[in-house]
Amino acid sequence: MSKIPYKIYLNESEMPTAWYNLRADMKTKPAPLLNPGTHEPMSASDLAPVFCDELIQQELDNDTRYFEIPEEILNFYKMYRPSPLVRAYCLEKKLGTPAKIYYKFEGNNTSGSHKLNSASAQAYYAKKQGLKGVTTETGAGQWGTALSMACSYFDLDCKVFMVKVSYEQKPFRREVMRTYGASVTPSPSMETKIGQKILADHPGTTGSLGCAISEAVEVATSTPGYRYVLGSVLNQVLLHQSVIGLETKAALDKYGIKPDIIIGCAGGGSNLGGLIAPFMGEKLRGEADYRIIAVEPASCPSFTRGKFAYDFADTGMVCPLAKMYTLGSNFIPAPNHAGGLRYHGMSPVLSQLYHDGYMEAISVKQTDVFAAAEQFARVEGILPAPESAHAIKAAIDEALKCKETGEEKTIVFGLTGTGYFDMVAYEKFHDGKMDDYIPTDEELEASFATLPKVE
Amino acid sequence: MSKIPYKIYLNESEMPTAWYNLRADMKTKPAPLLNPGTHEPMSASDLAPVFCDELIQQELDNDTRYFEIPEEILNFYKMYRPSPLVRAYCLEKKLGTPAKIYYKFEGNNTSGSHKLNSASAQAYYAKKQGLKGVTTETGAGQWGTALSMACSYFDLDCKVFMVKVSYEQKPFRREVMRTYGASVTPSPSMETKIGQKILADHPGTTGSLGCAISEAVEVATSTPGYRYVLGSVLNQVLLHQSVIGLETKAALDKYGIKPDIIIGCAGGGSNLGGLIAPFMGEKLRGEADYRIIAVEPASCPSFTRGKFAYDFADTGMVCPLAKMYTLGSNFIPAPNHAGGLRYHGMSPVLSQLYHDGYMEAISVKQTDVFAAAEQFARVEGILPAPESAHAIKAAIDEALKCKETGEEKTIVFGLTGTGYFDMVAYEKFHDGKMDDYIPTDEELEASFATLPKVE
């Protein structure tokens, strides 16, 4: 082994103390959120009934380069950060590649994913504002779990609307949230007007993320002392998640390592935007160049087959419009076990960067993703979440290209979380019962037809 | 906050490079294993058909103080060690105690528990001996998972006999093992003679740990190139697990911290024996004094209500006799969700030390354990395994005593693993459907009647 340790940990003194706002270095800023009725840009006061005040400032600020991380959040981060940057020596050996592979492992906390980085920040600002609680939706459950933990720590009430089919199929996720004191309601529910309407119109529906968002927003805006929080897509979330990339860069710099390729899975963009932030910043400022690759499921290919257009953030069409790569807010992703990547849209920041040619995107098939996950688990030990395994698949492919060409490229990818709650999916894979769904062009065209017309 | 960091990590250079053999410092050595037929002490050659040769040497060696950890195992340990020693600042604050609480967290690996420390060692020695594979049994699944991971890493076949009721009730554990390439067979099975006999005698049985042990031993001894491995109770296992205590002591010494009380949960003794090893060594040599507390479930109280006697290690009565605190090998623990603590016996090393007055033991009720687990999770973030939560319960009780007396005692406890696969138990607790089973004196007397008569 070389002098690079198996795991690079930062000392507490080496940890980032400010989040990096990538937007400050973008020549073309992400397009503003629009009021869904008037199509006017949303102002801070427009957003105030829904979001916490300080988070709105972060959401709208395209210029401030660094936001100091409050001490309370730094203390929370100490519970599970720094996360390790791991040199995948065993995977390299197994692949027989001259490439050097590193992964930033964000699963070393009870929520099992990187979601905690933003959940803790959002819970903190809600508490600081004197709120009683927050509402949110969760699909696969990673975000809901992370938010429950953060709310428990900051002594804040937490109401989670969980897509009914997940609520029933993932009872363990639900119980983790309850352990942390959150109330978890299957969506659609009778607790909201929108839920009542949906249940009346579609009796027996198993729910959708869009419906759960609508219910969470309704409760937040109709209950005094409550606001709504969201785990991905938003600019503020990417800001908080920049801690992933800042730590990664600090760890690499400590050993003088310069990556050639940076890879992350992409659903709403929270992990990818966080991981690449400081590297993309250097690229935007012309100080360095990197290949940056977003990996998405072939079943929900926002970047690779979507349109760059204004669209509703939710299926219920109550949230602001965002300009992003989208498959249309009515797009129903085919069944896929990477629940965290089943979102029709994409972070406006990442969408703009992709549109401007600063990053690449590829889509991968589900069965290939699970094969890569298993190969990785067997040599590196960690059991990856299906979402994370998208990045693994792409990293392995790049490393195998290096094997062919003999190039000693340095590849860094984000390992966003663990797969403990995804064993049903692994079981299907083991039993050869997993399918690769890919939407047809006709399906996408039908979905694009629902895009709102914005001048 | 004081200068003690939230988490104390050791550098790679500070990590232990040798296991500590507590037996070397015991004045009264643990009694030898006996042949179940002749009641003669088992020699190395008696044990050779069942266990790997080097592991037998470790099992029988009461004198060598340190065993160097082979480089291959040190490399494996680097994947997830050092484990953090965490100062429970948030728990202390929540309890309002002047006590200082630390926990050694062993759950930061995919197996989710400390079991990997010995699984990797046993797999390594099996591979070194040129074996094709190993067999074992698993109940709750932590040991089976750990062994699957270790065998995958060392390229060794792994056959796991999983108690049928667990196989059916914990499909996710089973799938994790399959992900790592292990074959998992529900026990009793038709693959062994003993399994066939049990199924013929008791059609519809859901199995037991004792039966699974018997099947695993039969396959190991009847298949060329295979041996049997075990995850607790044995002297060799405590030796490997000493890495927990050695790291803990190194981390405490680094900051000049001297614990007053050391607490661990006790099932077969693998975690407790490992955690306390170097501290108990100092105590045995008269260099320091510590209160050392074993915590066991009230439903399976080997130390607190068992007899110190020779007994069968397995229900099938095919394994050697061990002198230990035991409830009788026919004892069927009442339903309890801490599956890893449901063993009728106890490590002979720990049994001798308890008998000689070097440690204390207490038993705690299941509902109290889950209440402590939830309290801990909400402030410290980590979701504990039910087994680990026994130690949490005792640590909280000691910290609350300090609150009454005003004493600033330093308490260290072992947090052996995570509870991701135990959410059924948490759900019962949340729903108020959890019972506290405690065996009656009559039940214990009936079980003691099955103890073998050893001169």
Side-chain angles (χ1 to χ4, degrees), chain A residues 6-7 78-79 108 110 149 152 174-175 178-180 374 377-378 381-383 420 423 427 430-431, chain B residues 6-7 78-79 108 110 152 174-176 178-181 377-378 381-383 420 423 427 430-431:
Chain A
Y6 189 89
K7 286 184 290 192
K78 281 182 193 166
M79 290 207 294
N108 255 353
T110 290
M149 290 178 64
S152 169
R174 181 186 77 208
E175 289 308 320
R178 287 177 76 194
T179 301
Y180 288 94
E374 190 161 282
R378 290 188 181 185
I382 295 167
L383 183 75
Y420 300 116
M423 296 320 295
E427 183 176 15
H430 295 148
D431 294 342
Chain B
Y6 190 89
K7 287 183 287 191
K78 280 182 194 166
M79 288 207 294
N108 255 352
T110 291
S152 168
R174 181 185 77 207
E175 289 308 320
V176 176
R178 286 177 76 195
T179 301
Y180 288 95
R378 289 188 182 184
I382 294 167
L383 182 76
Y420 300 114
M423 295 320 295
E427 182 175 15
H430 295 148
D431 294 343

Side-chain angles (χ1 to χ4, degrees), chain B residues 170-289:
Chain B
K170 296 202 168 190
F172 296 168
R173 273 282 184 204
R174 181 185 77 207
E175 289 308 320
V176 176
M177 290 183 258
R178 286 177 76 195
T179 301
Y180 288 95
S183 76
V184 187
T185 305
S187 169
S189 76
M190 294 301 283
E191 291 184 20
T192 65
K193 286 177 191 163
I194 186 96
Q196 291 165 17
K197 182 174 185 308
I198 291 170
L199 284 170
D201 294 349
H202 307 280
T205 176
T206 55
S208 72
L209 208 53
C211 168
I213 293 177
S214 305
E215 290 204 81
V217 171
E218 181 184 321
V219 170
T221 51
S222 62
T223 313
Y226 280 76
R227 292 294 185 281
Y228 168 71
V229 295
L230 181 64
S232 193
V233 183
L234 297 176
N235 298 341
Q236 59 186 268
V237 176
L238 266 71
L239 176 69
H240 306 148
Q241 295 294 359
S242 69
V243 70
I244 304 173
L246 293 165
E247 279 187 12
T248 303
K249 188 152 192 326
L252 292 171
D253 287 349
K254 196 168 166 177
Y255 288 90
I257 306 160
K258 193 183 161 303
D260 298 295
I261 307 174
I262 301 161
I263 299 171
C265 62
S270 68
N271 149 67
L272 182 67
L275 174 66
I276 68 174
F279 304 99
M280 182 61 88
E282 288 186 303
K283 192 165 175 172
L284 289 166
R285 296 190 302 270
E287 297 165 7
D289 197 17

Side-chain angles (χ1 to χ4, degrees), chain A residues 147-441:
Chain A
L147 189 67
S148 314
M149 290 178 64
C151 286
S152 169
Y153 180 89
F154 287 112
D155 194 20
L156 206 63
D157 187 39
C158 179
K159 294 182 190 296
V160 180
F161 287 88
M162 188 171 187
V163 177
K164 191 184 251 175
V165 61
S166 297
Y167 182 91
E168 288 164 358
Q169 288 182 353
K170 296 202 168 189
F172 296 168
R173 272 284 182 201
R174 181 186 77 208
E175 289 308 320
V176 176
M177 290 183 257
R178 287 177 76 194
T179 301
Y180 288 94
S183 76
V184 187
T185 305
S187 170
S189 76
M190 294 300 283
E191 290 184 20
T192 65
K193 286 178 189 160
I194 185 97
Q196 291 164 16
K197 181 173 185 308
I198 290 170
L199 285 170
D201 294 348
H202 307 279
T205 176
T206 55
S208 71
L209 207 54
C211 167
I213 293 176
S214 304
E215 289 203 81
V217 171
E218 181 183 323
V219 170
T221 51
S222 63
T223 314
Y226 281 75
R227 291 294 185 283
Y228 168 72
V229 295
L230 181 65
S232 193
V233 183
L234 297 175
N235 298 339
Q236 58 185 270
V237 177
L238 266 71
L239 176 69
H240 306 149
Q241 294 293 0
S242 69
V243 70
I244 304 173
L246 293 166
E247 279 187 12
T248 303
K249 188 152 192 325
L252 292 172
D253 286 350
K254 197 169 165 175
Y255 289 89
I257 304 161
K258 194 185 162 300
D260 298 294
I261 307 174
I262 301 161
I263 298 171
C265 62
S270 69
N271 149 69
L272 181 67
L275 173 67
I276 68 173
F279 303 99
M280 183 61 89
E282 288 186 303
K283 193 166 174 172
L284 288 166
R285 297 190 301 269
E287 296 165 9
D289 196 16
Y290 307 99
R291 276 186 69 201
I292 294 175
I293 307 176
V295 192
E296 57 186 15
S299 62
C300 193
S302 318
F303 270 137
T304 50
R305 297 176 67 195
K307 283 203 190 311
F308 186 47
Y310 265 106
D311 196 7
F312 294 97
D314 62 322
T315 339
M317 303 184 179
V318 297
C319 292
L321 301 179
K323 190 174 181 190
M324 56 187 177
Y325 278 86
T326 177
L327 299 167
S329 65
N330 274 344
F331 180 75
I332 309 287
N336 179 294
H337 291 289
L341 304 183
R342 293 181 63 194
Y343 182 66
H344 67 277
M346 183 57 66
S347 144
V349 168
L350 295 182
S351 293
Q352 189 65 50
L353 290 167
Y354 179 63
H355 184 72
D356 293 344
Y358 287 103
M359 49 188 280
E360 308 165 31
I362 58 169
S363 74
V364 289
K365 285 192 298 180
Q366 182 167 226
T367 50
D368 292 341
V369 163
F370 275 83
E374 190 161 282
Q375 182 176 24
F376 179 82
R378 290 188 181 185
V379 291
E380 290 290 323
I382 295 167
L383 183 75
E387 291 83 357
S388 321
H390 286 67
I392 296 174
K393 165 65 180 159
I396 288 176
D397 285 350
E398 290 294 334
L400 291 177
K401 281 183 207 162
C402 288
K403 188 179 181 178
E404 280 180 26
T405 62
E407 289 173 288
E408 294 186 22
K409 286 185 181 166
T410 296
I411 301 168
V412 174
F413 72 89
L415 190 71
T416 54
T418 50
Y420 300 116
F421 293 101
D422 299 289
M423 296 320 295
V424 168
Y426 274 93
E427 183 176 15
K428 279 198 181 167
F429 174 69
H430 295 148
D431 294 342
K433 292 178 180 167
M434 181 172 277
D435 290 311
D436 287 313
Y437 301 94
I438 299 175
T440 64
D441 288 341

